[in-house]
Amino acid sequence: MTTEDERTATDGGAAAGDAGEFEEYADLGATTSDAMEIAETSMDRVHDLVPQETLADRMRAKAVHATGDPEFQHLVRFTGADDSEPVREGARAVLDEAPVVTDITMVKSGVTGRGHECEVRKAIGNGADLAAETGMTRTAASVLELDRRGVYDGAVAVVGNAPTAALALADCIEQGTRPAVVVATPVGFVKAAESRKRVREVCEEHGVPAITNVGRRGGSGLAAGLTNELVHVASDVRSGDVTL
């Protein structure tokens, strides 16, 4: 499992068809009636396992769905005044059409294109000169370069793969950068858990809402799924089904 930048990933991906009344399931890849029924049944089963009382519960349910592991609901961590604050702030950022900035291409490709007008961009591919000069990883250098341009202030900052990207983002926050919300689920056996812990500590100290997890697991799919749930919450706010 790659725990740094994923060099073979591309920006491509099949465009979802018109899902009509089932549009809310389009991010699951469901574009036929049979597939939509499967998607709906899948989420119903998740909701049987995860309480749906708070906005934070919605993120726990999405984590279970993304990982296929009911126990993952107990591994999600929220940094804020209460567990739902990162969800509220993330949804507000989506409603405000703030940029969504991911660490790598795979996470960017997993973020739904429906239900929002946010620019979705990736960090990887920036900061090549800095990486060459310093020897730091490309993902860390990419985060630092985008931060130098002010990209992360007010953004939905998402790290799904690279621990060094999470560590670099934590350094940026410590030095004054203020994302609207951080979603950090880097995966692996080296620095992954430590990087998420650092993100939690720095975000708590500086009042930046964050959604992370504990343990070695995580990854691009989880980060994209959690980000998509922020979009879904924003959509529900827009339709009047949810208030923040």
Side-chain angles (χ1 to χ4, degrees):
M1 179 179 294
T2 304
T3 56
E4 285 297 334
D5 45 355
E6 297 174 8
R7 295 176 173 81
T8 59
T10 69
D11 284 321
D18 182 5
E21 64 182 300
F22 299 101
E23 184 174 344
E24 64 183 296
Y25 302 111
D27 70 299
L28 303 177
T31 57
T32 68
S33 58
D34 286 347
M36 291 166 194
E37 182 178 356
I38 291 170
E40 185 175 14
T41 300
S42 177
M43 285 308 302
D44 285 344
R45 291 181 179 178
V46 170
H47 292 160
D48 287 339
L49 298 168
V50 184
Q52 291 296 282
E53 299 173 358
T54 68
L55 292 176
D57 287 337
R58 290 183 59 157
M59 306 306 287
R60 295 184 180 101
K62 180 58 74 171
V64 169
H65 186 268
T67 61
D69 181 3
E71 295 305 310
F72 212 95
Q73 63 182 297
H74 305 300
L75 304 181
V76 183
R77 297 290 183 269
F78 302 91
T79 303
D82 58 72
D83 283 357
S84 292
E85 183 184 15
V87 190
R88 291 193 297 268
E89 294 306 313
R92 288 188 179 110
V94 172
L95 291 169
D96 290 341
E97 300 180 9
V100 177
V101 188
T102 71
D103 56 337
I104 63 165
T105 306
M106 185 175 289
V107 185
K108 176 180 181 291
S109 298
V111 175
T112 181
R114 295 173 179 262
H116 68 92
E117 298 297 329
C118 302
E119 177 190 10
V120 182
R121 61 186 300 181
K122 60 184 180 179
I124 194 68
N126 297 279
D129 291 343
L130 179 61
E133 291 169 5
T134 63
M136 70 174 62
T137 67
R138 292 200 304 151
T139 45
S142 297
V143 169
L144 295 178
E145 174 60 23
L146 288 192
D147 183 64
R148 184 186 67 80
R149 302 179 200 168
V151 171
Y152 281 105
D153 278 312
V156 178
V158 186
V159 179
N161 182 264
T164 54
L167 291 169
L169 181 61
D171 288 345
C172 294
I173 292 170
E174 197 167 49
Q175 293 165 18
T177 299
R178 294 294 179 264
V181 67
V182 174
V183 176
T185 63
V187 62
F189 292 86
V190 180
K191 295 184 180 180
E194 294 88 345
S195 70
R196 285 185 256 106
K197 180 181 179 183
R198 169 129 171 91
V199 167
R200 285 192 294 275
E201 291 173 346
V202 170
C203 285
E204 182 174 3
E205 181 179 356
H206 296 282
V208 176
I211 304 170
T212 62
N213 67 285
V214 296
R216 297 188 181 99
R217 290 180 290 174
S220 300
L222 176 60
L226 294 174
T227 304
N228 289 341
E229 191 61 23
L230 296 177
V231 173
H232 294 161
V233 172
S235 295
D236 287 345
V237 171
R238 210 178 285 118
S239 65
D241 294 330
V242 168
T243 58
L244 297 176

